[in-house]
Amino acid sequence: MGSAIIGLGNIRGPRPQGRRERGLFFSTNEPTWAASMTKQRSGIHLIAQMANVSIGTVDRALHGRGGIKESTRQRILQVARQIGYTPNLAARALSVAKASARVGVCIPREIHFFYDQLWSGVRDEARRVGQLGLQFLNRPVHALGEGDTAVFKELVQCGVDGIILTAGNPKALTPLIDEAEANGIRVVCVSTDAPESRRSSIVCVEPSLNGSLAGELMGKLVPRASKVAVVAGMLTAEDHRKKTDGFSEAFPRHCTGGKIAGIIEGHEDEDESFQKTFDLLRRVPNLAGLYVNTVNCLPVCRALGARGLAGKVKLITTDLFAEMSPYFQKGTITASIYQQPHRQGQIAVRVMADNLTNKIHFPPAVHLSPGVVMSSNLHLFREMRSADSKLDEPGLKSRLTL
């Protein structure tokens, strides 16, 4: 949908100058006054006319954003080359830099294996859009669902124009999100949703599909009439509940006579997850498979090892981090469902920036496709490559092997 580039003249709340706020991790620099906006705009209008598209579509093509067909993008770029047009990012930033928009970010710190990746995606994209006059205030909570309502209220009081939120407490957050949206503060949920709210968008791997994929895979790995179980984080979280439902519905369809022997909540706590898994393995000695629908899989791996069942019980986990690699290699983890956390963070920032700077409408939802990680393709994922690059630092290998 087309949208003209406009300034942010309706920014709410005070804009403190000359001081570093707690958690403020990006602020825009003063733009360089370059080529005249008249010349640049006439170039964009000419491209739109020649390519028979809207100005907003031209802007998306020139700046590498999604939302348009690749054939359309190539046609626009070809027209731009024909007229010798080069996008002037400094001039583009000028159109929004007279008053900076501020975006609050509320993402849990724990479990850091997942949320560090999500946060890195937010940070990387925030650097890219910083030239557009956007500032980001980081207000993390300790763990999913802990204190997010208080942080949300704080961000609203700070006068932000948008909030990127991992909604661990959807029922309590829903009225707060609705009030914020009514006051013009745009809310984008990332990773887990508040679906009953009027939030502007959600960026995630669709959780029911995630669970269904795990259920189908498990059904093809274990024998007929097998018993399996689910280790969830917290079923009050939309993401965890829908994954559990998706798995529970799909598994019996792909394993004749298969049954769900138990569903336990680990509440993203390592000790609790270990003890509950350890007890489950005692209560159901013939358990054939386990599905961990959060990134908190290490205590489950340890519980399997403590019971002497590592490699015997099929274990499907969620996402990927360096510490999982040995368990893949030993066969403790059979497969993992990858949710692209870094990409989720990037897209959440991008759709927010597109709306605040260019008034491009939010997509109602951005659902990424889940991937399947196994030992054979483990090395292809960014989490493993990041771990390998760290190991290449001088002296680090020797320190790790001492």
Side-chain angles (χ1 to χ4, degrees), residues 170-186:
K171 286 187 178 180
L173 284 166
T174 290
L176 301 179
I177 294 172
D178 291 349
E179 183 179 1
E181 288 279 357
N183 291 323
I185 302 173
R186 302 306 170 209

Side-chain angles (χ1 to χ4, degrees), residues 127-266:
R127 288 196 182 106
R128 191 187 72 83
V129 302
Q131 62 189 334
L132 302 180
L134 296 180
Q135 295 178 325
F136 291 80
L137 285 79
N138 181 27
R139 297 290 190 271
V141 293
H142 174 69
L144 185 67
E146 292 187 11
D148 48 10
T149 55
V151 169
F152 192 95
K153 292 176 183 177
E154 178 190 348
L155 288 170
V156 170
Q157 291 172 356
C158 286
V160 296
D161 305 284
I163 296 174
I164 295 172
L165 170 73
T166 302
N169 193 3
K171 286 187 178 180
L173 284 166
T174 290
L176 301 179
I177 294 172
D178 291 349
E179 183 179 1
E181 288 279 357
N183 291 323
I185 302 173
R186 302 306 170 209
V187 179
V188 173
C189 291
V190 62
S191 177
T192 190
D193 198 8
E196 302 302 319
S197 73
R198 294 200 277 280
R199 48 94 176 123
S200 291
S201 189
I202 169 67
V203 180
C204 67
V205 169
E206 207 286 313
S208 295
L209 174 61
N210 193 317
S212 295
L213 179 60
E216 179 178 356
L217 183 59
M218 183 70 80
K220 294 175 178 179
L221 288 171
V222 298
R224 293 166 56 114
S226 289
K227 294 180 180 180
V228 300
V230 179
V231 181
M234 54 185 72
L235 297 178
T236 54
E238 182 79 3
D239 179 70
H240 301 176
R241 181 179 60 79
K242 284 193 170 183
K243 286 177 188 173
T244 301
D245 291 345
F247 181 89
S248 301
E249 188 276 331
F251 174 72
R253 287 194 290 109
H254 295 279
C255 179
T256 304
K259 295 182 179 180
I260 308 297
I263 298 170
I264 59 178
E265 291 180 273

